[in-house]
Amino acid sequence: MAERSNEMRALVCVEPDRIEIRRAPRPEDRPGHIRLKVEAIGICGTDYHIYKGQQPYLSYPRTMGHELAARAMEDSSDGRIARGDLVVVNPYMTCGTCHACTIGKPNCCENIGVLGVHRDGGMCEEIVIPEGNAYPATDLEPRAAAMVEFLAIGAHGVRRSRLAEGSTALIVGAGPIGAGAALFAQIAGAKVTVRDTSAERLALVQNILPDATCETVDEAGDQSFDTVFDATGNINAMNAGLKFVAHGGAYVLLSVVKGDLNFADPEFHKRETTLIASRNALKADFEHVVDCLARGLVPIDAFATHRTTLDDAVTDLPKWSEDRGSVVKALIHV
């Protein structure tokens, strides 16, 4: 048997507008951690931002990738995961001791570190992560498991909104996060409308959710909705969204951007608006998404519009970063 190399391949963003395959040391074993063989990686908007030099608080070079499906290379110490099991990776590394962690909200840990952003991520052959950040996904195929993390962000926002079955929901922003939020709002029983400035993006969402109403911003009327979700990543759109919230409704902000929220207080108060920030996702959200995928409630083919390999991503990722209007979710298969 050939001796196992101490090095592995990794897709590294060396600096803005430059990515390459490099040889990197295989990660070392650590107590309480599990070694995983990466099988599929979803390319996130964050990865495109890193490539284009638009991600603050990031140092280069950086191995990107936080939407990960991987195969366990060993048994977990708690018996949840056996060698060979497919798992979904929760990429949010938390401290476990801050106020948010102690009240059951590690998704907004005060000292959070995200794989592929604050530390090297999973666009490589192997990773070693805390056992508690690996969730079994044995009923899924790798490409479905690699979509769990970004879908969980929308699912978390929907769960926080507490929208009622039969209510109306507006999702503004037809990117992957918006599409995921729209899907899980529909799964929760809401009547869904999706708006965007791009007819091309809306056509992709209509393919995912044929029963949803999809309309451009220019086509939109003055209808109000029980719950409005913003997934635009645009501070002007976030400030304008309040006018679509029905009296007694909720406004959920999935986007995180630099800038100030500005609402007219009389408009905010007369609606008795519930304003909700939604950040990342919790284990319960990951598990809900895995269950919905396993039950066939997520149209995987409609979401997975593009695919590539670790080697070909050197040219494909830059190309897709310039043409994101035609991409819902691109996947790297290792």
Side-chain angles (χ1 to χ4, degrees), residues 269-283:
H269 262 85
K270 76 181 184 181
R271 290 167 169 78
E272 197 177 48
T273 309
T274 300
L275 180 63
I276 301 172
S278 182
R279 184 183 183 193
N280 299 328
L282 292 168
K283 181 180 180 182

Side-chain angles (χ1 to χ4, degrees), residues 163-324:
L163 60 78
E165 185 174 358
S167 64
T168 57
L170 170 65
I171 291 81
V172 186
I177 299 300
L183 172 67
F184 282 93
Q186 191 171 86
I187 289 173
K191 182 178 179 181
V192 170
T193 297
V194 182
R195 289 181 186 163
D196 199 280
T197 57
S198 168
E200 183 181 23
R201 277 207 168 276
L202 288 168
L204 292 171
V205 171
Q206 194 76 79
N207 191 40
I208 294 168
L209 294 169
D211 295 333
T213 298
C214 293
E215 56 191 22
T216 65
V217 172
D218 292 337
E219 297 169 338
D222 57 2
Q223 177 187 0
S224 59
F225 298 82
D226 297 309
T227 310
V228 176
F229 298 86
D230 179 88
T232 63
N234 183 298
I235 192 63
N236 295 321
M238 294 165 72
N239 284 329
L242 177 66
K243 64 186 177 184
F244 302 118
V245 181
H247 284 233
Y251 191 22
V252 185
L253 302 179
L254 301 174
S255 300
V256 181
V257 299
K258 288 186 176 180
D260 296 328
L261 290 169
N262 293 293
F263 303 137
D265 186 63
E267 293 297 318
F268 185 78
H269 262 85
K270 76 181 184 181
R271 290 167 169 78
E272 197 177 48
T273 309
T274 300
L275 180 63
I276 301 172
S278 182
R279 184 183 183 193
N280 299 328
L282 292 168
K283 181 180 180 182
D285 304 305
F286 280 80
E287 292 174 341
H288 177 48
V289 173
V290 169
D291 178 65
C292 288
L293 282 161
R295 291 162 56 199
L297 300 179
V298 180
I300 298 171
D301 291 337
F303 271 106
T305 53
H306 295 66
R307 68 173 288 161
T308 188
T309 64
L310 201 60
D311 292 320
D312 290 342
V314 171
T315 54
D316 286 336
L317 191 153
K319 177 178 63 180
W320 294 332
S321 74
E322 301 296 334
D323 185 31
R324 292 175 60 189

